[in-house]
Amino acid sequence: MSTTRVLILGTLLDEPLNGYQVRRRLETMGADNWANVAFGSIYHGLSKMADEGLLDVVESGKGGKTVYAINDTGRFEFHRLLMSLWYEIGPIVDPFQVAMTFMDRMDRGHLLGALRFRTDELKRSIAMLERALGSKQAFGAPRHVDENLRLSSGMLAAQLAWVEEAVKKVEEGDLP
């Protein structure tokens, strides 16, 4: 299932928008940080969903911007996809796990350097997310967007705890 599809449909629930406006709303929600949205795919997704009968084109050609509105079929599809996201547990895809898979291919010094660097980056990322709490509402994001920030921060904190423990294990010769 495409989470981008759910995000686009959900963004159009309140009013018709063009692709740029959909992108701006998703950026305001911080979707670029937690949803792995390729913003270029928004325009293709809008066009494709219109072709599939989920969206109606309400304005075309004005300045090259097409405005889309969600229709009843699109609302049904949005709710169907939304409910599956709530009820299905999916994998948390993190490229870092690919790197972990091959930690035994690195010499100890490089591995420790990479782990320590990652520790610093995780701490910076967590601090940035915590600073962002509450600030997105000034740009029109709903209050519950902060919960995505909290969840992202919590996942990074879990990784930070793992990395800090891994540093100790590498130093003691228990990893890899």
Side-chain angles (χ1 to χ4, degrees):
M1 167 195 325
S2 169
T3 53
T4 301
R5 188 177 186 89
V6 176
L7 287 166
I8 291 170
L9 290 170
T11 302
L12 291 168
L13 288 172
D14 294 328
E15 64 181 315
L17 301 168
N18 64 41
Y20 177 75
Q21 292 168 318
V22 169
R23 177 184 175 155
R24 295 295 297 155
R25 295 245 173 120
L26 294 175
E27 286 173 339
T28 298
M29 290 187 281
D32 50 327
N33 293 315
W34 45 261
N36 198 21
V37 176
F39 286 122
S41 66
I42 291 170
Y43 302 96
H44 172 73
L46 287 164
S47 175
K48 184 175 184 202
M49 286 188 278
D51 290 344
E52 293 171 359
L54 303 175
L55 302 176
D56 297 326
V57 174
V58 295
E59 190 175 314
S60 183
K62 186 177 180 182
K65 295 180 181 176
T66 303
V67 177
Y68 298 90
I70 192 168
N71 57 33
D72 288 341
T73 305
R75 286 179 192 282
F76 178 82
E77 178 68 358
F78 168 77
H79 287 289
R80 184 186 73 75
L81 294 171
L82 179 65
M83 294 313 292
S84 67
L85 290 174
W86 274 103
Y87 285 92
E88 295 173 12
I89 303 296
I92 297 172
V93 179
D94 185 351
F96 177 58
Q97 289 183 282
V98 173
M100 287 173 48
T101 301
F102 297 105
M103 72 168 59
D104 63 331
R105 306 301 178 152
M106 298 172 69
D107 66 61
R108 187 170 181 257
H110 282 112
L111 179 57
L112 282 169
L115 287 168
R116 289 182 179 124
F117 178 83
R118 191 165 195 91
T119 298
D120 293 340
E121 289 301 304
L122 286 165
K123 287 177 181 177
R124 275 192 275 283
S125 294
I126 291 166
M128 179 196 67
L129 288 169
E130 289 173 357
R131 282 192 306 274
L133 286 171
S135 66
K136 298 217 175 263
Q137 287 76 38
F139 301 99
R143 286 181 307 166
H144 64 270
V145 166
D146 277 353
E147 296 309 312
N148 274 323
L149 296 173
R150 284 186 183 90
L151 180 58
S152 294
S153 179
M155 289 190 294
L156 291 176
Q159 189 177 123
L160 175 60
W162 182 89
V163 170
E164 290 174 334
E165 189 61 32
V167 167
K168 293 175 193 170
K169 289 179 180 181
V170 172
E171 289 173 339
E172 295 168 359
D174 292 335
L175 266 180

